[in-house]
Amino acid sequence: MTGSLLARLLRRSSPQQSRFICQRSISQSAAERTKETVSVEPPVLPAFDYVPPPYSGPSGDEILAKRKEYLSPSIMHFYKSPLNVVEGKRQYLFDENGRRYLDGFGGIATVGCGHCHPDVVEAIIEQTKKLQHSTVLYLNHAVADFAEALASKLPGDLKVVFFTNSGTEANELAMMIARLYTGCHDIISVRNSYHGNASGTMGATAQSIWKFNVVQSGVHHAVNPDPYRGLFGSDGPKYAKDVQDIINFGTSGNVAAFISEAIQGVGGIVELAPGYLSAAYDSVRKAGGLCIADEVQSGFARTGSNFWGFEAHGVQPDIVTMAKGIGNGIPLGAVVTTPEIAKVLTRRSYFNTFGGNPVCTAAGLAVLKVIEKEKLQENAFVVGSHLKERLKALKDKYEVIGDVRGQGFMLGVELVTDRELKTPAKEETLHVMDQMKDLGVLIGKGGYYGNVFRITPPLCFTKEDADFLVDAMDYTLSRM
Ligand code: PMP
């Protein structure tokens, strides 16, 4: 029986069966290894030479009860039975029973170069023993040293660093700088983007279905240049015309800024269509605006081919914002801009008590050194490319996978119940995530419809880890 016939027959099967479409491929793939392997035994975690000490703290159930009583009712957790993680080492997490999980998501949430990296931990401890203070009132070399090292990683005249405590603060500050510099109020952001959780950034965040957006005056949301779901496929300049239309018809003709991620993270690892950013930047600059690159997720070597995500688009932003991986889990963010633009804040007194304090900047400097010493950008490129290839081979095997995309260690797998209609497979996404957790792999999810796996591991992820992750996904999909 041919693959396509099988596919058609399965499509005609009962509603219960067709809800979980994961039949063998209808097309022939180069990656025969993945395609032809039908996993009988569950895959086994790669060996790792560490056993955590016994945990004697409260159980997951007790913590959950406390969370429900004392923490915000808006916070969520992954998994039907949420995980109580008590320790982390490099690319692994351990639960209350000492069970080890491969962390395929924490690279974005916190740890660029691995959980509790000894060099970063040591830098934090040493600086804490010496001094923790505010960033601004006195001199301290840790703050200046990291600013210098960070500036050296950015192209052109992007040499002045403002430190913050988070990505939200960094984007709030970047937008404020742009408004002060240009004397304009209007900001253009891209639909399906995520830029933070304070009022200005929630205005720029254009994800209404996810409740992340709070309407703010003067913020315009441009059509998302999404090659998979967008109207114009991979034609970036066509999407960018919407930016020009917004400027022409939605503003006075001048704007303060355009803000965009290079690869949308929370939005489901959406790579912007080629040619979009440069065309959008052109329009914005002609309207007197500044271009802000939000590198909170795609920065710090994650995309493998470049240190910053925007570099793959051949553009030079006026302001770059960053957080997350910058401090390997320590609260730290930054805005980097040119001396000329930075000068605008001398008209105001911008004061941030803890943004870039000595302890956090000591951690930041250690992170940069680890990325270089352990060649983590190269690792993200090599292992990330291998991981993507294997995921693409899974797409040939299971029709429920509609798209595989991303760069380096910022990868997305979108699940659909119908490839042509691109119907989001939300339940299947949750099911696979839960099953993979039971096999010992943690991945994230996101996207407008919540049907995209986000695979964003720490940068020290190995080829064996990548194979295990894909084998676990394969095993799970084969049993749906
Ligand atoms: N920008 C992007 C692209 C993000 O993904 C996030 C966080 N998910 C932020 C900004 C906000 O960062 P933070 O949570 O540190 O405030």
Side-chain angles (χ1 to χ4, degrees):
M1 189 186 298
T2 64
S4 55
L5 177 58
L6 179 64
R8 279 204 301 279
L9 284 175
L10 279 168
R11 243 185 241 127
R12 267 193 251 125
S13 57
S14 71
Q16 188 59 33
Q17 282 167 315
S18 58
R19 264 183 47 215
F20 294 121
I21 304 168
C22 56
Q23 68 273 29
R24 308 207 70 197
S25 170
I26 55 167
S27 63
Q28 286 297 311
S29 152
E32 293 300 323
R33 176 163 101 82
T34 299
K35 191 180 158 194
E36 293 309 329
T37 308
V38 178
S39 346
V40 179
E41 294 296 324
V44 180
L45 262 173
F48 189 62
D49 193 14
Y50 177 75
V51 178
Y55 170 75
S56 56
S59 70
D61 288 344
E62 287 171 287
I63 297 168
L64 191 61
K66 256 193 207 174
R67 242 168 96 125
K68 280 190 180 145
E69 194 169 352
Y70 297 111
L71 287 171
S72 154
S74 70
I75 58 170
M76 41 79 87
H77 55 72
F78 277 160
Y79 306 119
K80 276 186 209 134
S81 163
L83 204 58
N84 179 18
V85 287
V86 300
E87 230 187 293
K89 250 205 180 12
R90 295 189 70 81
Q91 67 273 45
Y92 292 106
L93 290 170
F94 297 88
D95 73 7
E96 58 194 338
N97 304 311
R99 181 163 181 209
R100 181 160 57 96
Y101 296 85
L102 179 64
D103 186 357
F105 189 47
I108 279 294
T110 52
V111 285
C113 55
H115 291 281
C116 306
H117 193 290
D119 294 10
V120 183
V121 171
E122 195 190 317
I124 293 167
I125 292 173
E126 286 309 306
Q127 186 56 46
T128 310
K129 281 197 214 151
K130 273 192 216 136
L131 174 79
Q132 169 64 318
H133 209 299
S134 159
T135 312
V136 282
L137 299 175
Y138 310 105
L139 304 184
N140 185 277
H141 77 89
V143 186
D145 288 349
F146 182 46
E148 182 186 28
L150 196 53
S152 78
K153 301 299 290 180
L154 283 138
D157 217 12
L158 291 164
K159 291 293 166 239
V160 182
V161 181
F162 294 87
F163 286 120
T164 65
N165 301 286
S166 67
T168 297
E169 261 189 21
N171 284 331
E172 292 282 337
L173 177 59
M175 292 196 291
M176 188 180 76
I177 290 175
R179 282 174 166 152
L180 288 172
Y181 183 78
T182 59
C184 292
H185 185 64
D186 293 74
I187 303 264
I188 302 175
S189 65
V190 181
R191 283 193 190 181
N192 200 47
S193 61
Y194 182 90
H195 296 297
N197 62 8
S199 51
T201 38
M202 282 182 92
T205 291
Q207 288 210 344
S208 46
I209 210 167
W210 273 66
K211 301 194 242 169
F212 285 140
N213 176 258
V214 173
V215 174
Q216 296 286 317
S217 68
V219 182
H220 310 265
H221 299 151
V223 166
N224 188 20
D226 175 352
Y228 180 63
R229 286 185 178 273
L231 278 179
F232 308 122
S234 293
D235 191 339
K238 257 196 187 155
Y239 293 101
K241 184 156 180 306
D242 193 47
V243 173
Q244 189 60 54
D245 286 346
I246 288 172
I247 293 167
N248 293 348
F249 307 116
T251 73
S252 61
N254 290 103
V255 294
F258 168 79
I259 181 167
S260 171
E261 300 157 86
I263 298 178
Q264 292 173 342
V266 177
I269 317 293
V270 175
E271 292 182 86
L272 308 187
Y276 173 77
L277 269 192
S278 56
Y281 274 30
D282 280 352
S283 292
V284 170
R285 286 190 169 131
K286 278 188 205 130
L290 300 182
C291 298
I292 305 171
D294 179 340
E295 290 285 335
V296 168
Q297 293 211 14
S298 55
F300 287 87
R302 176 146 301 275
T303 59
S305 43
N306 295 287
F307 198 83
W308 307 106
F310 66 79
E311 291 173 297
H313 293 267
V315 294
Q316 169 80 8
D318 304 297
I319 304 179
V320 180
T321 60
M322 53 199 82
K324 293 191 191 274
I326 188 175
N328 212 45
I330 222 86
L332 181 61
V335 174
V336 186
T337 188
T338 67
E340 190 206 311
I341 295 169
K343 226 189 293 164
V344 78
L345 272 194
T346 57
R347 289 200 245 134
R348 299 284 186 284
S349 178
Y350 177 76
F351 177 94
N352 192 324
T353 304
F354 283 123
N357 60 70
V359 170
C360 290
T361 45
L365 188 59
V367 168
L368 281 185
K369 287 182 181 163
V370 169
I371 291 176
E372 231 149 83
K373 185 173 87 178
E374 297 181 4
K375 299 190 174 32
L376 294 181
Q377 185 179 330
E378 195 182 319
N379 191 58
F381 179 73
V382 174
V383 179
S385 305
H386 171 73
L387 180 55
K388 189 174 177 185
E389 274 314 301
R390 285 219 51 205
L391 289 168
K392 276 163 100 181
L394 274 195
K395 179 176 168 232
D396 290 339
K397 188 171 173 183
Y398 299 106
E399 228 182 60
V400 74
I401 298 182
D403 196 28
V404 171
R405 54 189 181 242
Q407 299 293 325
F409 280 150
M410 197 166 173
L411 300 176
V413 177
E414 176 149 2
L415 298 195
V416 292
T417 52
D418 183 309
R419 276 193 180 178
E420 256 165 57
L421 298 176
K422 299 181 181 165
T423 317
K426 283 179 176 178
E427 281 175 54
E428 291 80 351
T429 308
L430 289 173
H431 173 79
V432 173
M433 257 181 89
D434 247 84
Q435 296 292 304
M436 285 180 69
K437 187 254 288 178
D438 291 345
L439 290 170
V441 192
L442 310 180
I443 52 174
K445 78 175 173 68
Y448 198 73
Y449 304 104
N451 65 325
V452 183
F453 296 130
R454 293 162 66 195
I455 303 174
T456 55
L459 302 178
C460 56
F461 215 64
T462 66
K463 184 167 173 288
E464 290 68 38
D465 296 327
D467 285 331
F468 174 65
L469 186 150
V470 180
D471 290 345
M473 193 179 283
D474 189 5
Y475 182 83
T476 305
L477 290 171
S478 70
R479 273 151 188 78
M480 278 205 323

